[in-house]
């Protein structure tokens, strides 16, 4: 057993740091650090910078444009980009659809879609949840019926994150209406510009429209956009989810957020002393820091054990639960740290180019809305209760 | 980075687990635990012959181990069998005598099991404060030392042939090796709630030769911390072994106990609690790996890692012990079932070498530098 990074790992980390120093635009990292809203151009631009070094799709095989990194290198990369306040990689194409196409897509599909993910031609979004299919995802009703060399899609998807920017959507659709539940589901790639698609924003509790509803009315999709076999989509859907969950665990994001929390706690005053010296607050902070230290090792253990360096299976559910609990606790402590100044909220202050006067400390503006936004972490990607179901059946075998 | 134990350590763990499976059934354990000595000289000798002490001691003391991961594989196996033999003192004394200079006779006795070490650092009324020491050591007329004072709740104290004791000298703290049979040494032994025995140590003007002092001043505190760190890794690994046993036996019960016509493991209220238990156990394992890895790091990194591990084990140990008894229901309250004995040990590990609250406070202090 040896939990230390090797000399090669350290050299790799230095290489990543040097790259971030040179290539991560200062204005961009400053926006991320101060919790400003990112534009589509911010995110696409950052993807292009990473791709210029072939570092965008860190877990794809080299023949499809991945960098050929080890599990540990990928971990180091994820942590370093978070600590440098780089925008997070938009996961839908790179981290969700990519792995599905690599494993289940035809050669033709790989050649057609994978390069377009890397060069930014296609912004993908996720068509999984429906109004009647949340935790019970297999209850989805959106139908795709075969008509010649097309499927005709009717139905509705929801909670589609950043759907407003998307060129393409990967959808779970029901291709066999008579089959029960998981059987009869297929995995379909749909061009968002096809007639019959309507995107409506959903305003969330933080006032932002991060997610959308997507409506499909007689949308014609060429059959070559079916991934894998008809009616076997559930298998691909679950495979994708293990990647999504591992991604959501967000050890790097927690490390960056914890650094910021410590800064806030040193700066905020209580009884004439830094809040960081308040025994109650210090104890809560220490507890979450300890949990994060444990989590780093747990996630490295899980990733190292995953076969062929792919995503872990049901263990990803463990990472998702504990990883999101840690992220939520950190954001909760940051909110508490602000005291009364958690309350003021000028949403324009989070937009680029805001010139108005800040209320309270310069770090205060986004904290409470981030806390509210992060309630999503234990809900999406399969709620944490659903993760416990998966652990129950797959790991505990109850 | 590699999360597998080395081939040598895996072989040692296998050997130890096989031996304990054959020779240390829970009934045997209960019999040994309840015996007058509170340990088994026979088993102790056989484990020494298997090389367990050598795995816990470093090369300067004639062993071949003593690193964090050596402690980890040994104590995980000991935990799985709920062993009450006096290994904790051995794991800690390895760090106290680390350079081995002038201690060859003691080291050889520890290796073959003829010497048993106890480490007595905490005093009545001082809780977990290692610096709150009132035991005094005065220079005697002959150039030796005279020790007077007392130590609290020392595990397997009666079995010890040598007792390492912290005492206050003019220049601060010092450490002494006290032979069990020296004049003025008295021990009040008692059974412990989780099995095995402990004792209160009283030293009344105990005369010791000069060379029994093994460290003094800042050195002494540093040495004490290093020994406690090794002890925490050992206890942590023991706890991990126990957690795995509890998890398996609780899962087994959830699968087989039928109520309302179905195995109770089919009930979501229980499933989700068990899922949480499983996650927490993995976090505890990671905490112990971190502590074992940090055992030979610089002081600050090591102390933060062991305090973090003790905080984690305190929290997770309590949760898993309480949940496992609750998930078993009434049967979980019975002496006859193995489970509650594992649960009791898990809780009492929380009371050794500093509890969760102590180490949380300490972790915060260490963070301020």
């Amino acid at each position: 057993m040896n939990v230390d990074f090797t000399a090669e790992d350290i050299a790799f980390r230095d290489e990543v740091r040097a790259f971030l120093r040179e290539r991560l635009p200062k204005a961009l990292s400053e926006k991320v650090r101060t919790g400003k809203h990112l534009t589509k151009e911010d995110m696409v631009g950052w993807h292009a910078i990473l791709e210029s070094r072939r570092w965008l799709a860190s877990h794809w095989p080299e023949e499809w444009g991945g960098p050929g990194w080890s599990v540990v290198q990928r971990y180091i990369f994820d942590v370093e980009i978070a600590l440098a306040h780089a925008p997070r990689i938009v996961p839908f194409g790179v981290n969700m659809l990519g792995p599905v196409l690599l494993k289940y897509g035809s050669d033709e599909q790989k050649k057609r879609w994978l390069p377009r993910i890397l060069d930014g031609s296609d912004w993908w979004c996720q068509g999984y949840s429906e109004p009647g299919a949340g935790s019970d995802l297999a209850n989805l009703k959106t139908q795709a019926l075969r008509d010649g060399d097309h499927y005709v899609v009717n139905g509705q998807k929801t909670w589609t994150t950043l759907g407003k920017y998307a060129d393409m959507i990967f959808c779970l659709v029901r291709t066999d209406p008579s089959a029960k539940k998981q059987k009869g589901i297929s995995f379909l790639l749909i061009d968002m510009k096809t007639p019959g698609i309507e995107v409506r924003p959903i305003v969330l509790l933080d006032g932002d429209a991060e997610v959308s509803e997507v409506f499909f009315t007689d949308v014609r999709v060429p059959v070559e956009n079916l991934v894998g076999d008809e009616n076997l989509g559930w298998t691909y859907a679950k495979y994708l989810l293990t990647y999504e969950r591992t991604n959501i665990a967000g050890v790097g994001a927690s490390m960056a957020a914890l650094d910021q929390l410590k800064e806030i706690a040193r700066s905020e005053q209580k009884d004439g002393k830094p809040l960081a010296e308040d025994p109650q607050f210090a104890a809560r902070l220490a507890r979450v820091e300890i949990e994060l230290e444990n989590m780093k090792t747990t996630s490295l253990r899980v990733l190292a054990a995953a076969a062929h360096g792919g995503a872990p299976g049901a263990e990803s559910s463990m990472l998702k639960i504990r990883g999101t609990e840690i992220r939520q606790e950190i954001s909760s402590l940051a909110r508490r740290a602000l005291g009364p100044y958690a309350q003021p909220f000028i949403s324009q202050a989070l937009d680029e180019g805001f010139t108005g006067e800040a209320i309270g400390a310069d770090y205060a503006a986004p904290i409470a809305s981030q806390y509210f936004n992060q309630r999503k972490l234990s809900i999406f990607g399969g709620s944490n209760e659903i993760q416990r179901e998966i652990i129950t059946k797959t790991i505990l075998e109850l | 980075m590699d999360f597998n134990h080395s081939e040598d350590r895996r072989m040692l763990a296998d050997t130890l687990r096989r031996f304990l499976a054959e020779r240390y059934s829970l009934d045997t354990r209960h019999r040994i635990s309840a015996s007058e000595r509170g340990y088994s000289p026979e088993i102790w000798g056989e484990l020494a012959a298997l090389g367990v002490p050598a795995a816990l001691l470093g090369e300067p003391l004639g062993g071949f181990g003593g690193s964090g991961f050596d402690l980890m594989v040994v104590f995980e196996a000991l935990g799985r069998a709920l062993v009450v033999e006096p290994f904790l003192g051995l794991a800690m004394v390895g760090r106290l005598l680390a350079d081995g200079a002038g201690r060859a006779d003691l080291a050889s006795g520890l290796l073959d099991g003829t010497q048993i070490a106890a480490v007595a650092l905490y005093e009545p009324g001082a809780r977990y404060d290692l610096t709150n020491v009132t035991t005094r050591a005065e220079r005697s007329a002959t150039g030796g030392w005279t020790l007077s004072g007392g130590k609290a709740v020392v595990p397997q104290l009666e079995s010890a042939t040598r007792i390492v004791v912290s005492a206050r000298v003019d220049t601060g703290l010092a450490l002494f090796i006290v032979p069990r049979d020296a004049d003025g040494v008295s021990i009040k032994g008692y059974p412990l709630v989780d099995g095995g025995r402990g004792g209160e140590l009283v030293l009344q003007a105990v005369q010791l030769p000069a060379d029994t002092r093994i460290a003094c001043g800042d050195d002494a505190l540093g040495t004490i911390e290093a020994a406690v760190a090794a002890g925490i890794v050992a206890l942590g690994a023991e706890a991990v072994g126990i957690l795995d046993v509890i998890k398996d036996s609780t899962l087994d019960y959830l699968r087989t106990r039928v109520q309302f016509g179905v195995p109770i493991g089919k009930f979501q209220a229980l499933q989700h609690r068990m899922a949480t238990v499983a996650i927490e156990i993995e976090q505890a394992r990671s905490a112990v790996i971190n502590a074992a890895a940090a055992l030979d790091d610089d002081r600050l990194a090591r102390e933060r890692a062991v305090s973090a591990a003790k905080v984690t084990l305190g929290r997770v140990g309590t949760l898993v012990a309480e949940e496992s008894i609750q998930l078993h229901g009434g049967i979980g309250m019975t002496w006859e079932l193995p489970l509650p004995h594992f649960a009791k040990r898990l809780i009492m590990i929380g009371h050794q070498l500093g509890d969760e609250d102590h180490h949380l406070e300490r972790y915060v202090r260490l963070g301020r530098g």
Side-chain angles (χ1 to χ4, degrees):
Chain A
M1 180 122 36
N2 180 0
V3 304
D4 297 327
F5 291 130
T6 62
E8 289 79 31
D9 293 333
I10 300 285
F12 173 77
R13 189 184 68 192
D14 293 343
E15 191 188 343
V16 173
R17 285 181 180 172
F19 172 82
L20 291 167
R21 264 196 312 276
E22 280 168 35
R23 301 295 310 278
L24 172 61
K26 186 77 192 134
L28 189 54
S29 62
E30 199 52 21
K31 278 177 92 170
V32 173
R33 192 185 67 79
T34 54
K36 296 272 197 302
H37 291 138
L38 298 184
T39 62
K40 182 178 182 182
E41 291 67 37
D42 287 334
M43 295 185 254
V44 171
W46 175 236
H47 276 208
I49 291 169
L50 287 173
E51 184 51 23
S52 72
R53 187 75 178 259
R54 280 175 69 114
W55 281 5
L56 178 58
S58 65
H59 52 78
W60 291 13
E62 279 176 276
E63 57 165 321
W64 292 106
W69 288 340
S70 69
V71 167
V72 174
Q73 285 176 316
R74 293 207 301 267
Y75 172 88
I76 290 171
F77 179 73
D78 289 345
V79 166
E80 291 301 324
I81 60 173
L83 290 178
H85 307 294
R88 75 185 193 108
I89 292 172
V90 183
F92 311 106
V94 176
N95 294 326
M96 295 189 192
L97 180 64
V100 169
L101 287 180
L102 285 163
K103 189 168 164 89
Y104 298 108
S106 66
D107 252 9
E108 199 177 310
Q109 285 172 333
K110 288 182 209 172
K111 281 184 197 139
R112 176 163 174 208
W113 300 111
L114 294 177
R116 294 175 60 85
I117 292 174
L118 296 181
D119 69 17
S121 305
D122 294 328
W123 181 299
W124 285 88
C125 66
Q126 182 177 25
Y128 267 40
S129 295
E130 296 181 7
S135 286
D136 187 9
L137 181 60
N139 192 40
L140 59 93
K141 299 277 190 281
T142 296
Q143 240 181 32
L145 295 180
R146 188 73 182 260
D147 177 25
D149 51 5
H150 281 77
Y151 288 101
V152 178
V153 179
N154 280 286
Q156 181 193 348
K157 294 292 174 183
T158 192
W159 311 128
T160 307
T161 302
L162 300 181
K164 57 187 173 184
Y165 296 151
D167 305 296
M168 295 290 299
I169 182 168
F170 53 85
C171 275
L172 297 181
V173 292
R174 193 161 290 287
T175 36
D176 182 356
S178 62
K180 285 268 181 257
K181 286 283 221 173
Q182 287 86 349
K183 294 175 182 136
I185 291 173
S186 297
F187 195 102
L188 203 56
L189 311 178
I190 305 177
D191 187 333
M192 292 291 278
K193 289 182 292 296
T194 321
I197 295 182
E198 190 194 345
V199 180
R200 292 184 205 158
I202 304 173
V203 179
L204 296 181
L205 78 177
D206 57 356
D208 205 25
E210 189 179 30
V211 296
S212 304
E213 294 175 288
V214 184
F215 295 85
F216 299 85
T217 313
D218 294 332
V219 174
R220 294 184 70 81
V221 181
V223 287
E224 67 256 30
N225 283 18
L226 175 78
V227 176
D229 291 324
E230 198 174 80
N231 298 332
L232 291 184
W234 187 249
T235 305
Y236 320 144
K238 282 194 299 182
Y239 179 72
L240 181 149
L241 283 168
T242 62
Y243 276 89
E244 184 178 0
R245 285 166 194 147
T246 307
N247 198 37
I248 294 170
V251 168
S254 283
M255 288 167 70
L258 184 70
D259 283 351
Q260 191 202 19
L261 171 60
K262 285 180 168 178
E263 246 179 76
I264 294 173
R266 279 193 293 268
S267 174
E268 292 289 322
Q269 297 287 306
K270 182 183 176 189
D271 301 333
K273 283 191 301 191
L275 181 64
E277 291 174 26
D278 174 67
Q280 296 242 28
F281 193 87
R284 286 192 70 168
L285 188 82
R287 280 191 186 278
V288 75
E289 182 175 34
I290 289 168
E291 273 306 287
L292 180 55
E293 286 301 312
N294 296 339
M295 181 73 197
K296 286 183 200 171
T297 298
T298 302
S299 63
L300 277 165
R301 281 169 48 214
V302 167
L303 294 173
H308 314 302
E315 286 76 11
S316 68
S317 296
M318 290 193 161
L319 299 184
K320 199 255 171 179
I321 293 174
R322 185 43 51 92
T324 56
E325 286 170 349
I326 291 169
R327 288 175 71 183
Q328 290 183 331
E329 173 67 3
I330 293 171
S331 74
S332 169
L333 285 175
R335 171 181 58 74
R336 293 163 71 117
L338 295 186
Y341 278 96
Q343 299 172 90
F345 180 60
I346 302 167
S347 70
Q348 297 89 331
L350 303 182
D351 291 333
E352 196 168 16
F354 175 71
T355 52
E357 197 184 337
I359 311 288
D362 57 359
Y363 47 72
I367 297 295
S369 70
Q370 281 173 348
Y371 159 80
F372 288 117
N373 181 271
Q374 298 227 335
R375 299 293 95 205
K376 72 186 177 190
L377 296 176
S378 46
I379 299 171
F380 70 11
S383 72
N384 285 12
E385 288 69 31
I386 290 296
Q387 306 310 322
R388 285 186 164 81
E389 294 291 301
I390 293 168
I391 292 168
T392 296
K393 299 207 166 44
T394 315
I395 298 178
L396 304 181
E397 296 174 11
L398 284 175
Chain B
M1 194 162 299
D2 177 6
F3 291 103
N4 297 308
H5 285 299
S6 67
E7 181 72 30
D8 287 352
R9 292 197 186 110
R10 281 206 301 272
M11 276 169 58
L12 172 70
D14 285 349
T15 308
L16 185 52
R17 278 172 73 157
R18 262 201 311 279
F19 174 86
L20 293 170
E22 266 172 40
R23 301 290 313 280
Y24 216 83
S25 69
L26 202 64
D27 284 344
T28 306
R29 183 263 185 189
H30 286 337
R31 194 170 39 72
I32 294 169
S33 168
S35 68
E36 204 174 304
R37 283 197 174 91
Y39 83 106
S40 161
E42 186 191 344
I43 297 278
W44 179 255
E46 289 180 53
L47 286 168
L50 280 181
V52 177
L56 298 177
L57 298 174
E59 280 173 24
L61 295 169
F64 55 76
S67 77
F69 294 121
D70 294 314
L71 301 186
M72 196 169 162
V73 292
V74 168
F75 276 84
E76 231 182 293
L78 296 176
R80 293 188 71 91
L82 221 49
V83 169
V84 294
E85 311 302 310
F87 280 107
L88 182 63
L90 185 58
M92 292 175 71
V93 88
R95 297 273 155 170
L96 295 171
L97 305 174
D99 62 4
R103 314 282 163 203
D105 59 327
L106 176 52
S108 68
L110 291 172
L111 283 170
D112 66 18
T114 52
Q115 296 279 355
I116 295 178
V119 178
L121 302 172
Y122 302 98
E123 300 199 347
R127 287 182 77 85
Y128 302 113
D129 185 353
L130 291 160
T131 61
N132 188 346
V133 173
T134 58
T135 297
R136 284 205 64 85
E138 314 272 0
R139 279 279 182 196
S140 61
T142 56
W145 297 92
T146 306
L147 262 64
S148 294
K151 298 289 169 181
V153 203
V154 184
Q156 298 294 18
L157 180 60
E158 298 154 301
S159 71
T161 57
R162 306 286 185 96
I163 306 158
V164 179
V165 169
S166 57
R168 200 152 284 287
V169 293
D170 291 341
T171 52
L173 284 181
L175 284 167
F176 297 86
I177 302 177
V178 180
R180 164 70 179 89
D181 51 9
D183 285 342
V185 173
S186 58
I187 287 171
K188 185 182 170 197
Y190 39 72
L192 299 173
V193 69
D194 57 331
R197 293 179 67 82
E200 305 286 293
L201 176 68
V202 178
L203 306 168
Q204 285 171 305
V206 178
Q207 302 295 314
L208 297 175
D211 68 354
T212 56
R213 194 185 71 175
I214 52 175
C216 74
D218 290 346
D219 248 19
L221 189 57
T223 306
I224 288 170
E225 281 185 340
V228 170
I232 289 173
V233 169
L235 287 175
E238 183 186 352
V240 166
I242 291 170
L243 287 166
D244 283 337
V245 171
I246 288 182
K247 185 174 94 172
D248 289 346
S249 52
T250 305
L251 282 172
D252 202 38
Y253 189 74
L254 291 173
R255 287 187 197 111
T256 50
R257 168 70 175 169
V258 173
Q259 288 287 273
F260 304 102
V262 291
I264 59 173
K266 294 293 171 199
F267 294 115
Q268 195 176 49
L270 307 192
Q271 291 173 344
H272 285 201
R273 288 165 69 172
M274 198 57 205
T276 300
V277 162
I279 293 170
E280 295 290 10
I281 290 174
E282 292 316 312
Q283 286 286 84
R285 195 186 319 278
S286 291
V288 174
I289 290 171
N290 288 348
L295 196 54
D296 289 305
D297 282 357
D298 64 82
R299 174 189 176 260
L300 190 62
R302 180 193 71 206
E303 293 302 303
R304 274 173 71 85
V306 297
S307 278
K310 207 63 174 61
V311 170
T312 305
L313 289 163
R315 187 178 62 74
V316 175
T318 305
L319 174 93
V320 174
E322 292 174 358
E323 286 289 74
S324 65
I325 291 174
Q326 179 68 21
L327 289 168
H328 275 80
I331 200 77
M333 297 293 296
T334 60
W335 186 274
E336 190 188 344
L337 199 73
L339 174 97
H341 300 284
F342 286 87
K344 284 194 290 183
R345 177 68 193 128
L346 201 49
I347 293 288
M348 287 305 133
I349 284 175
H351 290 256
Q352 290 184 267
L353 305 182
D355 63 9
E356 182 184 352
D357 294 340
H358 170 86
H359 281 285
L360 185 62
E361 206 186 321
R362 190 162 181 275
Y363 183 87
V364 169
R365 262 200 325 273
L366 289 163
R368 295 211 185 103

